[in-house]
Every structure is written in structure tokens, then in C-alpha cells.
Amino acid sequence: MKYNFDEVINRKNTNCVKWDSDLESDILPMWIADMDFKVADPIIKALEDRVKHGVFGYADIPEAYYKAEIKWWEKRHNFRIKKEWIEVTTGVIPALSAAVQAFTEPGDKVLIQSPVYNYFNTSITNNKCSIVLNELNYNGRSYEIDFEDFEKKASDPKVKIFILCNPHNPIGIAWRKDTLERLGEICLRHNVVVVVDEIHRDLVYKERTHMPFASISKGFLMNSITCTAPSKTFNLAGLKTSNIIVANEEYRKKINRSLNINETIEPNIFGIEGLIAAYNYGEEWLSQLLEYLEGNLNFLISFIDSKLPGLKVVKPSATYLIWIDCRKLGISSKEFCYRLLHDGKLRISDGSIYGKGGEGFIRINIACSRTILEEGLNRLAKVVNLFN
Ligand SMILES: Cc1ncc(COP(=O)(O)O)c(C=O)c1O
């Protein structure tokens, strides 16, 4: 069936963080990472059927859930996982937090690469660890990793884990196998556990494929835990369901313990149905979504290239979160976002919240209908032109 991603769905007054948290009703939100699209029909049907039953008590995870997860990994990512490797939890952030607790003591250090998704910081500091940064280097077009710096930091005995974001939010890179190999080898050399956030794994543009870190070698598999969810792929973030893949039994026991301590191990009945339907019947919707997002990306790039030469899009290989270099404007990204909000009625994400290297950049969510995207870009242009 043909899905209509051009349809504009009114999300206001639905308890929606993106559309309901601004007091002024005329603000256009293009910030938080969920999509404005209606989810795939088989998911809606599965949830409707569950609602019709009318009883929503505590849930158990059925065999069909594990089967759907395993099948998706193999079919979409060419990686065979086992049922016993899967730990279920309420989101990728709870998973990361559990991982920090499982592998560190208060006072230990956690390695991350900035700019990066800002909740990595809170997962670390909430668990009384400190952050060690391997800053990603922007070369004016894309990003490079300073491996020497990475190894120096990983070799600190206080560094217990590295949280890898692949594909990387906010810079939009699906890391290549050779890059992952270098990072993984360094972590093995220095006994640093790799915690991989692969929540954006399915949202990769045509010329690239996602490489699951744990699939690269037995050594990587046994030294990593991988956090995933159907939430970004299928727009199910509110169903609060994610999976942690842990092949190493010793690691798995530790993760399971942390999830129990945090009481984040109980599944959500709708999340179970959503995941099963998404992974079994969502591929048709996903392939049309990826085409639509690619169209949105091309639209944004040609709009900015032709109308806003002061801005530069960092062309992503993955994610619907687009990272834009605004440094030529000569103002801080915080000030720019303030002006966008107040003069342009447009809410986007300030790059500086993603840590070192994020200053001077903004992040725009393009997972919306083309008309909304065009409106957002016109608002962006209106404010940029005030500076000229
Ligand atoms: C890289 C990354 N990890 C985790 C999350 C949030 O995961 P969850 O809602 O499952 O906690 C996001 C949301 O934007 C993200 O971009």
C-alpha cells in the first residue's frame, strides 16, 4: 500500500512534547527527535486489537516478541542474535543508565565523543561518574575522529566504558566498518566496555548501510552491549520499549541487575504489540519513509544552498536530524535559536547543548511533511536574512 507522508496530522492537544510544550500556539517545532507521521497501519491495527481486549494488567514478554526482534536484526542488519542475549527495558536512555551503573563505580570515567546526544551526559553524571571527551573534528564538510586522542583517553584506567553513538546524533554519520574496527580494537586493548547506542540504525540513507558494532568480530561481540528500539524507526517513542543485546553472560547479569535495581525491567503491553507488528509488518512503510526522508533532505539541502549561503548543511548518511553549520552568521547558536524562536516562531535545537564542538551549529528535525518542512525553512530564512 502507498502511505501518504504528505498528510499533515494535527498533533496539538495530544499531550505531545513537541507540539504542546510551547505556550505560544504559532511556534513551529522542529526539534525533539520524533516524527510527525502517522505510524504504519499494521501497528495501529495491533494496538487497536489490544485496546479492544479491555484489560491492561502486568505483561509478560511473549515468544513472538523475541522472534520479531531476532528476525529484524538478521533481515535488516545481517546479524544473527540469540534470544537469551536480549534484555528488555523502557527506553535507550534507561538502558544507557543501567550500563553506566553496571560497569562503573562512583568516581569512574566514561568516554564519549562530542558533539553527541545530550542525555549521554546525564546518564553518566546521574550515576556519579565523570565524562571524558574525545571531540570529533569538523573538517568543514564532515567529521573525523582523532584516534590518538581516543586511545590516550581510553588508556586511563579510570575509564570503564565508551558510549558509542552509531548512527551518530546529532552529526548524522553512520560510522564505517573500518572506523568501528579502530575504535573497538582500542577499547579491547584497554579493557573498556563498548556501550553502543544504535537507536537510529534503521534510518540510513541510500548510499550507506548500518554496521552493527557487535557483528564485526567475536571480540567486539563479547566486549559490548548494544541498545536498540523500534521507537525512532517506527515513531513509537511513547510506547517506551527497547532492547539491549548482550552476548557476554557476565555483562548480561550485571545489566539485568541494574535494570532490576532501577525497576525498569517491566514491559509495556502496548510496547510489546507495537514492536511485534513493526518488525513483522513494518518494512513496506519503512522503505517509503526512507524515500520520503531522502526527498526532505534533498529539499533542505537545495533550499539552503540556493537561499542561505551563510549556512552549511553537514550532509548526513543517517538520521532525520540535520546538523547545520551556522558559524558564518557570527552569533552564538543560543542567540540564533532565541532569534529563531522569537522572530521566526521556529523551535529547533541549539548545537551547543550537544557539548564541545556543538557551538555554532543547529539541529533540525526533518521528519515532517514537505509543506511543514518548507514552512520551517522559510521561517529560518526570514531570520537569517535579518542578519544580512
Ligand atoms: C542517540 C539517541 N539515543 C537515545 C535516545 C532516546 O531514547 P529513548 O527515548 O528510548 O530513551 C535518542 C532520542 O533522540 C537518541 O537520539
Side-chain angles (χ1 to χ4, degrees), residues 25 31 33 40-41 43 70 76 88 103 111 139 220 236 263 282 286 299 328 354 376 388:
S25 62
W31 56 291
D41 281 358
I43 301 176
I70 292 166
R76 299 290 299 193
V88 180
F103 300 110
L111 182 55
N139 62 17
F220 288 9
L236 303 175
E263 308 293 359
L286 177 58
F299 184 86
K328 268 198 190 157
Y354 304 103
N388 297 328

Side-chain angles (χ1 to χ4, degrees), residues 331-345:
I331 56 165
S332 72
S333 38
K334 188 171 177 199
E335 165 78 6
F336 185 37
C337 288
Y338 180 85
R339 299 285 297 272
L340 286 172
L341 190 63
H342 292 277
D343 302 339
K345 304 287 178 198

Side-chain angles (χ1 to χ4, degrees), residues 171-351:
I171 62 174
I173 292 182
W175 296 112
R176 290 178 188 278
K177 188 176 179 205
D178 56 344
T179 304
L180 296 171
E181 279 170 347
R182 287 183 75 178
L183 294 171
E185 291 300 338
I186 293 171
C187 289
L188 275 179
R189 265 202 294 285
H190 299 288
N191 300 316
V192 173
V193 177
V194 185
V195 175
V196 199
D197 178 339
E198 296 192 3
I199 198 169
H200 296 281
R201 65 182 169 159
D202 298 308
L203 300 168
V204 175
Y205 294 106
K206 264 188 214 113
E207 74 279 13
R208 193 69 64 83
T209 49
H210 170 67
M211 172 57 61
F213 176 84
S215 73
I216 294 176
S217 71
K218 185 84 196 288
F220 288 9
L221 177 68
M222 300 312 279
N223 190 42
S224 65
I225 75 151
T226 302
C227 309
T228 67
S231 53
K232 298 291 165 210
T233 314
F234 290 102
N235 209 21
L236 303 175
L239 295 186
K240 305 304 259 177
T241 299
S242 94
N243 294 309
I244 315 176
I245 312 304
V246 204
N248 182 319
E249 197 181 343
E250 184 200 329
Y251 289 3
R252 200 161 59 240
K253 278 190 188 142
K254 288 185 174 183
I255 289 287
N256 185 279
R257 188 74 212 115
S258 298
L259 295 175
N260 270 297
I261 288 171
N262 296 338
E263 308 293 359
T264 51
I265 205 156
E266 296 285 337
N268 174 306
I269 50 162
F270 296 107
I272 292 171
E273 301 301 337
L275 181 142
I276 295 171
Y279 286 161
N280 284 336
Y281 309 111
E283 269 193 302
E284 190 184 18
W285 181 91
L286 177 58
S287 71
Q288 291 175 36
L289 169 80
L290 289 172
E291 238 170 72
Y292 195 85
L293 288 177
E294 191 124 23
N296 273 3
L297 174 63
N298 292 334
F299 184 86
L300 172 131
I301 291 174
S302 62
F303 185 101
I304 291 185
D305 284 355
S306 62
K307 298 193 176 142
L308 301 172
L311 306 188
K312 191 160 185 203
V313 179
V314 180
K315 192 164 186 257
S317 47
T319 86
Y320 52 72
L321 306 164
I322 312 304
W323 191 236
I324 300 175
D325 179 359
C326 306
R327 291 171 304 164
K328 268 198 190 157
L329 297 179
I331 56 165
S332 72
S333 38
K334 188 171 177 199
E335 165 78 6
F336 185 37
C337 288
Y338 180 85
R339 299 285 297 272
L340 286 172
L341 190 63
H342 292 277
D343 302 339
K345 304 287 178 198
L346 175 67
R347 184 186 287 277
I348 48 97
S349 304
D350 163 4

Side-chain angles (χ1 to χ4, degrees), residues 110-127:
V110 177
L111 182 55
I112 56 173
Q113 297 178 299
S114 74
V116 75
Y117 179 56
N118 44 328
Y119 283 89
F120 282 15
N121 297 334
T122 28
S123 295
I124 298 167
T125 53
N126 281 347
N127 290 300

Side-chain angles (χ1 to χ4, degrees), residues 48-66:
E48 277 172 355
D49 288 349
R50 191 65 190 81
V51 166
K52 274 188 205 138
H53 180 248
V55 182
F56 312 121
Y58 294 117
D60 214 351
I61 300 165
E63 200 54 32
Y65 179 98
Y66 292 108

